[in-house]
Amino acid sequence: INVGGWTGNFIGMNSLSQLQPGYYGGLQRYPFNNALKGGMDWSGNGRGCNMLTGWFVVDKVTYTLADLTAIDLRFEQHCEGAGPALHGAIHWVKP
């Protein structure tokens, strides 16, 4: 997902061919994540995490065949082991 100079990667565990509604927790930075759990990364405008922990929740997702057409997703990302977190929500519909 690309929004105004920011990029989000939200990857489910390798046993899924597509993201499904639900909680994805105990995540590390994509693409250095554990494939059995999934991974994530929100970065841009010269900002990002070297070491990342977090979670995301897919509230709703729609596909047409294998093509993602809409998603509602919430996430929390911690950088470098810090307590304060970045929280975000994405509502995306394919134009």
Side-chain angles (χ1 to χ4, degrees):
I1 299 174
N2 294 303
V3 178
W6 293 85
T7 300
N9 293 291
F10 300 94
I11 310 300
M13 62 281 290
N14 64 358
S15 61
L16 296 177
S17 61
Q18 300 175 326
L19 285 176
Q20 301 298 320
Y23 173 79
Y24 298 80
L27 303 179
Q28 296 175 326
R29 181 178 162 212
Y30 172 82
F32 309 105
N33 57 287
N34 178 341
L36 297 176
K37 288 188 172 187
M40 63 178 284
D41 178 56
W42 184 262
S43 59
N45 291 333
R47 296 193 171 109
C49 302
N50 288 317
M51 297 191 59
L52 176 152
T53 58
W55 56 263
F56 67 87
V57 173
V58 176
D59 293 310
K60 184 178 177 185
V61 64
T62 305
Y63 295 93
T64 301
L65 301 174
D67 190 31
L68 179 67
T69 55
I71 192 165
D72 289 321
L73 179 145
R74 296 173 284 128
F75 68 92
E76 179 177 293
Q77 174 175 291
H78 295 265
C79 290
E80 323 313 336
L86 171 67
H87 295 92
I90 297 168
H91 171 77
W92 178 83
V93 177
K94 185 175 182 178

